Amino acid sequence: GNSVTQMEGPVTLSEEAFLTINCTYTATGYPSLFWYVQYPGEGLQLLLKATKADDKGSNKGFEATYRKETTSFHLEKGSVQVSDSAVYFCALTSKGDKVIFGPGTSLSVIP
Amino acid sequence: DAGVIQSPRHEVTEMGQEVTLRCKPISGHNSLFWYRQTMMRGLELLIYFNNNVPIDDSGMPEDRFSAKMPNASFSTLKIQPSEPRDSAVYFCASSLVAKNIQYFGAGTRLSVL
């Protein structure tokens, strides 16, 4: 079945550091891939998405590239801010199925 | 649009009591999802509806949990009787169709004493 694996957290970084959160997936067909973010006390919200191989999703300085050959969709940001502290969820959908979420990776950015 | 609206935001109840959580999805969305989030188990899909019809309830933990969607603009998740292990944040989400972007409500934080 479809599944998503994310790097274990929590991740703690200093402000302006480079961020990578790894995500790999298993899916039949050609899934769409997503990153959602959950800020403290809130529900999840879409951060970015990519719908086909080699697509790059981007938003708020975050980027992720759909790599079919490595079944990966790693999230990156060049310079994190304290306001980026949140939980990040990688997710996928494939051919009419509901969205499958990864376990989430908690990020704390310290000044 | 007001987004997905959940009520109440916080609920504190005693073990054995009935709890009803409410959700109003975004107008025009055809799919609705109920999730539970805890530190131990993360985000779990409980049930989802397409066009008001329950499609997959395999995540509902046991018979104490039930969900309904009587019309396109309202859904409930009921726990009867509630137990302390049901304490969690419950999220409702909606989307145009099941595989599209989901929009989450702010959640209901349930504490069962």
Side-chain angles (χ1 to χ4, degrees), chain A residues 32 34 36 38 41-46 49 89 93-99 101-103, chain B residues 9 33 35 37 42-43 45 48 56 58 91 98-107 109:
Chain A
S32 294
F34 307 83
Y36 283 77
Q38 183 180 27
E42 298 182 11
L44 282 69
Q45 57 185 273
L46 181 71
K49 69 172 185 176
F89 293 86
T93 62
S94 180
K95 204 160 188 174
D97 275 348
K98 57 188 181 294
V99 177
F101 287 93
Chain B
R9 288 296 315 275
F33 307 80
Y35 293 90
Q37 187 176 41
L43 188 68
L45 176 66
Y48 84 95
D56 182 353
S58 58
F91 288 104
K99 67 174 184 174
N100 275 14
I101 298 166
Q102 294 189 12
Y103 296 83
F104 282 72
R109 182 173 295 277

Side-chain angles (χ1 to χ4, degrees), chain B:
Chain B
D1 199 319
V4 176
I5 299 173
Q6 291 187 246
S7 64
R9 288 296 315 275
H10 303 275
E11 177 80 35
V12 181
T13 190
E14 292 188 347
M15 183 173 65
Q17 296 299 304
E18 177 178 297
V19 175
T20 299
L21 311 181
R22 297 173 175 80
C23 176
K24 176 179 168 54
I26 291 173
S27 177
H29 281 190
N30 296 313
S31 297
L32 183 139
F33 307 80
W34 282 102
Y35 293 90
R36 178 172 69 178
Q37 187 176 41
T38 61
M39 289 292 292
M40 290 295 294
R41 289 152 73 152
L43 188 68
E44 304 173 274
L45 176 66
L46 300 177
I47 185 171
Y48 84 95
F49 297 82
N50 274 352
N51 297 314
N52 313 337
V53 177
I55 301 300
D56 182 353
D57 65 354
S58 58
M60 296 285 263
E62 48 199 274
D63 291 346
R64 298 184 298 105
F65 285 69
S66 63
K68 294 182 179 179
M69 192 164 187
N71 57 61
S73 58
F74 184 65
S75 177
T76 59
L77 178 68
K78 187 174 293 187
I79 308 172
Q80 165 64 18
S82 58
E83 297 182 4
R85 60 194 167 116
D86 302 331
S87 297
V89 181
Y90 291 81
F91 288 104
C92 175
S94 71
S95 65
L96 276 172
V97 294
K99 67 174 184 174
N100 275 14
I101 298 166
Q102 294 189 12
Y103 296 83
F104 282 72
T108 295
R109 182 173 295 277
L110 173 65
S111 298
V112 183
L113 307 177

